[in-house]
Amino acid sequence: MSTYRQRLKEVTAQRGNLCVGIDPHASLLSSWGLPLTASGLERCARGIVEALGDVVAVFKPQAAFFEQYGSAGVAVLEKVIADIRAAGALSIVDAKRGDIGSTMEAYAQAYLGEGSPLAGDAVTLSPYLGFGSLMPAYECAIANDRGVYVLARTSNPEGGQVQLALGREGSVVQEIIDAARQLNTSARTRAIGLVVGGTHASLACDVSDFNGSILVPGIGTQGGRIEDLPALFGAAWSNVLPMVGRSILKAGPDASALRAKVDTFTLS
């Protein structure tokens, strides 16, 4: 299998660099006229992929909205990941896992291990138990040609309390960015990506020479604008995956309306 970075480059060259979040929260299900059950969840989440799977490069299913329905919801997430793969798109499972030792190894096998039904093309991870605590996931991603996205400068305003605090060699977020870049270099891969929100007037960190993919949430409902991203990210713009969720999904359940909404988030 080709590496995650190779697959990402190929699919974005064909379909553009937009990532659509699959966030089937209660208000969305209600607006689509669906029950707040695992069945309603499945009709919504799989309907998104059915409508957009041939035009969108990357989908990001948010695991929490599936987990809240227990085992039935997790089973739906497994189906959604399989649907995305069958549609020729890539999946980033937004699980934000982060732990240490054998627990982190288990998370890595669940979301990155070969043969796991929960394994997408990539997964989001939280490095705030220490960047090195995630090494089992990095190693698993590299071994299985998958990717990870490490939370760096997140879109929520509260994140700055931790991310902009001073570490040993600068801000905490800059240390995470630098560590991810160094790992990509030493491992001769670009499996390690970053999550950097698009809601900030200034990033307050330097991603200009980052050598991996950058997932950018916060576009649309949270206030970020896709047309501002080239200036915000500068030299790193070519690595950016803008992520839009609710601002597209609220156009559903009509498939043609969803596809038309996707077009409004494409830079000319």
Side-chain angles (χ1 to χ4, degrees), residues 105 108-109 112-114 135-146:
E105 291 178 6
Q109 289 302 319
L112 299 163
E114 193 62 35
M135 192 56 69
Y138 307 145
E139 293 172 346
C140 191
I142 294 167
N144 292 303
D145 293 320
R146 292 187 163 92

Side-chain angles (χ1 to χ4, degrees), residues 2-19 57-59 88-92 121-122 145 147 149 190-191 193 212-215 238-241:
S2 59
T3 69
Y4 172 69
R5 184 65 175 175
Q6 289 169 337
R7 297 196 303 279
L8 181 62
K9 183 177 180 179
E10 290 170 2
V11 74
T12 54
Q14 296 168 359
R15 303 184 181 189
N17 66 344
L18 186 68
C19 173
V58 184
F59 291 91
L90 301 186
S91 60
I92 301 170
D121 292 281
D145 293 320
Y149 286 88
R190 294 188 178 186
S213 177
I214 304 175
L215 180 66
S238 62
N239 291 330
V240 164
L241 272 180

Side-chain angles (χ1 to χ4, degrees), residues 33-54:
L34 297 172
L36 303 183
T37 63
S39 175
L41 170 76
E42 180 168 355
R43 288 166 62 189
C44 178
R46 299 186 75 183
I48 294 166
V49 181
E50 182 178 1
L52 302 176
D54 64 330

Side-chain angles (χ1 to χ4, degrees), residues 88-134:
L90 301 186
S91 60
I92 301 170
V93 181
D94 193 359
K96 297 184 177 70
R97 297 299 191 250
D99 217 305
I100 61 173
S102 59
T103 307
M104 192 64 243
E105 291 178 6
Y107 281 138
Q109 289 302 319
Y111 292 100
L112 299 163
E114 193 62 35
S116 171
L118 284 172
D121 292 281
V123 67
T124 59
L125 301 174
S126 175
Y128 292 104
L129 287 177
F131 183 85
S133 68
L134 301 177

Side-chain angles (χ1 to χ4, degrees), residues 169-208:
E169 299 178 2
S171 68
V172 171
V173 63
Q174 195 62 54
E175 290 185 357
I176 290 169
I177 293 168
D178 293 344
R181 182 183 64 250
Q182 291 166 10
L183 183 56
N184 275 341
T185 300
S186 63
R188 297 184 180 181
T189 180
R190 294 188 178 186
I192 317 303
L194 302 174
V195 178
V196 179
T199 53
H200 307 289
S202 171
L203 295 182
C205 58
D206 183 8
V207 295
S208 60

Side-chain angles (χ1 to χ4, degrees), residues 61-101:
Q62 167 51 257
F65 292 119
F66 297 85
E67 292 169 357
Q68 67 180 337
Y69 292 95
S71 60
V74 173
V76 173
L77 178 57
E78 294 175 357
K79 293 176 183 178
V80 169
I81 293 169
D83 288 347
I84 294 169
R85 184 180 302 114
L90 301 186
S91 60
I92 301 170
V93 181
D94 193 359
K96 297 184 177 70
R97 297 299 191 250
D99 217 305
I100 61 173

